[in-house]
Amino acid sequence: MSEKNLIVDGARLHYTGLFDMNLLIKELERLIIEKGYTKREKKSEMFVTEKGRQFNLELRPTKRFEKDFYGTLKIRLKIYNMIDKVVEINNKRYSLNYGDVLFVFDAWTSTDLEFSWEAKPEFVFLRALVDKYFKLIYFFKHEDKIL
């Protein structure tokens, strides 16, 4: 089983106001690729309510730091009460969206060392020693690179 180390747990960013949903999603995807992550879309759904449209997007970008060491982000974008508005700026008309935008971020590192330590009893003992003294160094070595 792979081991996980949670680095960011439920960091939130909330905004209410005007935005361009398509531009927001394109910019998010550009940032993911710019940071070296591979984009993986887990869920995307849109539906209409009495107060406006709702949009939910969940991304799970991953990045390989070493052979068996990965960083994973979980980005949840929730847009609710979204309505379309036409706004005039400098005598130009723009079609924008108005609503509540919520980003929720989680980040963790994980290893892909499945069953390598549980093969023999000697390795279980060695693993206890490694976990106690060296695991922190190994797991936190890439912590600053994950975001």
Side-chain angles (χ1 to χ4, degrees):
M1 186 169 122
S2 67
E3 300 174 359
K4 294 182 180 180
N5 179 37
L6 187 63
I7 296 173
V8 178
D9 186 18
R12 295 173 170 261
L13 175 67
H14 185 266
Y15 170 77
T16 301
L18 289 171
F19 61 94
D20 185 350
M21 185 180 81
N22 294 328
L23 187 62
L24 180 69
I25 293 171
K26 284 180 186 176
E27 186 65 20
L28 179 63
E29 291 173 352
R30 185 191 67 78
L31 285 171
I32 288 169
I33 292 170
E34 181 181 292
K35 296 291 183 179
Y37 286 86
T38 56
K39 185 189 135 205
R40 288 184 25 215
E41 185 173 315
K42 178 111 175 158
K43 177 176 75 169
S44 175
E45 61 186 11
M46 181 180 275
F47 50 94
V48 179
T49 64
E50 294 175 0
K51 294 183 178 181
R53 290 179 288 165
Q54 286 192 346
F55 178 74
N56 296 323
L57 176 68
E58 184 176 327
L59 300 174
R60 291 275 178 95
T62 58
K63 182 177 184 179
R64 181 184 225 165
F65 295 116
E66 293 178 11
K67 181 183 173 206
D68 294 323
F69 198 76
Y70 298 90
T72 305
L73 302 176
K74 179 179 179 182
I75 303 170
R76 289 170 283 178
L77 170 62
K78 297 180 181 187
I79 301 173
Y80 47 97
N81 303 332
M82 182 173 66
I83 58 173
D84 296 329
K85 286 197 172 191
V86 176
V87 179
E88 189 171 319
I89 302 172
N90 296 332
N91 295 326
K92 291 185 181 179
R93 298 180 131 226
Y94 297 96
S95 178
L96 298 175
N97 306 106
Y98 180 86
D100 298 309
V101 179
L102 175 65
F103 282 100
V104 181
F105 299 97
D106 297 313
W108 61 89
T109 56
S110 58
T111 61
D112 196 16
L113 302 173
E114 190 168 348
F115 303 117
S116 62
W117 285 94
E118 290 83 9
K120 295 182 179 180
E122 300 86 28
F123 289 155
V124 174
F125 174 73
L126 286 174
R127 177 173 180 164
L129 292 175
V130 168
D131 284 349
K132 186 170 184 177
Y133 296 108
F134 299 109
K135 183 178 180 181
L136 295 176
I137 296 168
Y138 183 71
F139 265 105
F140 294 118
K141 147 168 112 169
H142 296 291
E143 183 178 283
D144 58 339
K145 298 177 192 171
I146 196 159
L147 298 177

